[in-house]
């Protein structure tokens, strides 16, 4: 997941106080990690080829160098998830003077007639419908004309006509806004299940609010550090076999309870090594 100091400086001043970059970025980060996905935060100059999936939210200005990296990454099979607000401003922080509203990024995606507005009141709120569930977006939303609307996701935004808030063409996705409640969002559930999970090796499928985790690895093992930072018991769900605790005992697949302020260290062997956990 890309974090950049450049959009941080611009976003904190350009949006008139609607957004602060760090908490807004953290909202996306937690929408993913709370669903058991491990996220590595990288800079735009990182080597994308080391990853199967790149998420690039709130990169307001996408210069030619970064666009070329996006293209190369996706053309070589990487899953690329862009937005919200990625590419919606020039390097100087201004609106784009073309009909796609996303500059060279929009030309590459092939979107047109971009509109951007504040989704707040009921009459102007942008929503999506997935099966029989509905999700409402808040904050600045970006909608556009495209022939590549995300499959199974219907945009409902009367003030924007028939424009879509989603884009998906093969392994490139653009998200035009953030749901009002990311932690209880059927849209984020869909995006993660459809586009992120297939590109990762997931060890933990679910974490309750208050659970934090990070991973470290060496040549042989991936270590998972998990802590319950709340004053109440919280659960995690283990989603794979051959995960071991600090005593080299295998952890069962399913729910595991963490007492208040408890922490544990789990580990599993990296791919290419024999099963078991004898070091």
């Amino acid at each position: 997941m890309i974090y950049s100091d450049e959009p941080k400086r611009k976003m904190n001043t350009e949006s008139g106080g609607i957004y602060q970059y760090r908490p807004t970025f953290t909202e996306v980060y937690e929408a993913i990690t709370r669903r058991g996905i491990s996220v590595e935060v990288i800079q735009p100059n990182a080597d994308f080829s080391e990853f199967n999936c790149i998420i690039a939210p709130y990169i307001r200005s996408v210069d030619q160098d970064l666009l070329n990296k996006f293209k190369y990454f996706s053309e070589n099979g990487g899953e690329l998830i862009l937005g919200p607000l990625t590419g919606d401003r020039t390097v100087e922080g201004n609106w784009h003077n073309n009909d796609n509203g996303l500059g060279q990024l929009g030309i590459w995606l092939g979107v047109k007639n971009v509109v951007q507005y504040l989704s707040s009141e009921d009459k102007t709120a942008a929503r999506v419908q997935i099966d029989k569930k509905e999700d409402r977006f808040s904050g600045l939303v970006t909608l556009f004309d495209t022939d590549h609307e995300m499959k199974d996701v219907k945009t409902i935004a009367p003030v924007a006509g028939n424009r879509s808030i989603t884009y998906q063409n093969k392994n490139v996705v653009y998200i035009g806004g953030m749901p009002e409640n990311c932690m209880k969002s059927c849209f984020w559930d869909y995006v993660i299940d459809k586009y992120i999970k297939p590109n990762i090796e997931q060890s933990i499928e679910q974490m309750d609010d208050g659970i934090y985790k990070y991973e470290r690895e060496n040549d042989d093992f991936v270590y998972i550090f998990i802590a319950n930072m709340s004053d109440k018991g919280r659960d995690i769900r283990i989603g794979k076999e051959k995960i071991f605790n600090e005593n080299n005992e295998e952890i069962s697949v399913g729910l595991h309870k963490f007492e208040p302020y408890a922490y544990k260290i789990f580990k599993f062997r990296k791919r290419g090594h024999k099963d078991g956990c004898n070091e």
Side-chain angles (χ1 to χ4, degrees):
M1 186 168 168
I2 300 176
Y3 180 96
S4 174
D5 289 331
E6 183 63 24
K8 179 174 70 174
R9 286 190 289 269
K10 291 180 178 177
M11 195 168 178
N12 290 350
T13 57
E14 186 270 341
S15 60
I18 297 174
Y19 288 118
Q20 293 292 311
Y21 179 70
R22 183 170 293 176
T24 305
F25 177 93
T26 301
E27 186 180 16
V28 180
Y29 179 88
E30 291 192 342
I32 300 171
T33 57
R34 284 287 182 265
R35 289 166 170 85
I37 308 296
S38 293
V39 174
E40 182 170 346
V41 178
I42 62 174
Q43 292 288 316
N45 60 359
D47 183 359
F48 291 179
S49 66
E50 296 180 1
F51 305 95
N52 295 323
C53 179
I54 294 289
I55 305 167
Y58 302 111
I59 307 295
R60 306 298 296 271
S61 173
V62 176
D63 61 23
Q64 193 61 51
D65 288 342
L66 184 55
L67 179 59
N68 288 341
K69 292 185 70 172
F70 287 158
K71 290 180 179 180
Y72 185 83
F73 176 75
S74 61
E75 288 167 359
N76 284 275
E79 187 75 27
L80 179 63
I81 301 175
L82 306 167
L85 303 184
T86 296
D88 71 335
R89 296 293 187 270
T90 66
V91 175
E92 294 78 22
N94 301 318
W95 290 84
H96 293 284
N97 293 321
N98 56 38
D99 68 347
N100 71 63
L102 297 177
Q104 292 299 312
L105 176 64
I107 293 172
W108 177 49
L109 299 177
V111 300
K112 295 182 179 180
N113 300 319
V114 170
V115 296
Q116 191 174 79
Y117 66 92
L118 189 62
S119 175
S120 55
E121 299 180 1
D122 288 342
K123 292 182 179 180
T124 61
R127 297 176 173 86
V128 294
Q129 190 174 55
I130 305 171
D131 293 328
K132 296 181 180 180
K133 297 179 180 179
E134 191 173 285
D135 219 343
R136 174 170 168 160
F137 287 70
S138 63
L140 285 175
V141 292
T142 307
L143 294 95
F144 34 75
D145 288 334
T146 178
D147 294 328
H148 300 286
E149 187 172 11
M150 195 177 284
K151 187 179 179 181
D152 303 322
V153 179
K154 179 183 179 182
T155 300
I156 304 171
V159 298
N162 294 321
R163 292 176 177 87
S164 174
I165 200 169
T166 68
Y167 170 98
Q168 184 262 317
N169 186 10
K170 297 179 181 178
N171 54 327
V172 179
V173 170
Y174 192 98
I175 298 171
M178 280 294 284
E180 205 166 43
N181 187 342
C182 293
M183 302 307 168
K184 298 180 179 179
S185 166
C186 64
F187 178 73
W188 265 114
D189 290 342
Y190 178 87
V191 168
I192 288 172
D193 288 343
K194 187 79 173 179
Y195 304 113
I196 297 179
K197 282 184 178 179
N199 293 285
I200 63 169
E201 183 179 8
Q202 188 178 13
S203 55
I204 297 177
E205 292 183 342
Q206 172 192 325
M207 300 189 303
D208 285 348
D209 189 30
I211 294 283
Y212 290 83
K213 81 176 178 77
Y214 68 94
E215 295 185 3
R216 293 292 184 268
E217 60 183 71
N218 58 25
D219 292 340
D220 300 314
F221 290 93
V222 175
Y223 292 87
I224 310 169
F225 299 81
I226 307 173
N228 178 9
M229 302 300 290
S230 76
D231 60 356
K232 296 179 174 59
R234 292 289 187 261
D235 293 333
I236 68 168
R237 182 181 295 276
I238 300 293
K240 61 178 286 184
E241 297 178 339
K242 302 297 182 182
I243 294 181
F244 300 84
N245 63 19
E246 295 172 273
N247 297 319
N248 289 338
E249 299 166 332
E250 185 170 357
I251 305 299
S252 61
V253 172
L255 283 176
H256 292 265
K257 189 175 186 66
F258 277 61
E259 297 301 325
Y261 307 112
Y263 73 92
K264 298 179 182 178
I265 302 174
F266 297 156
K267 59 186 176 182
F268 61 89
R269 279 197 177 272
K270 299 175 72 172
R271 287 181 178 179
H273 293 270
K274 294 181 180 180
D275 289 337
C277 213
N278 294 323
E279 297 187 67

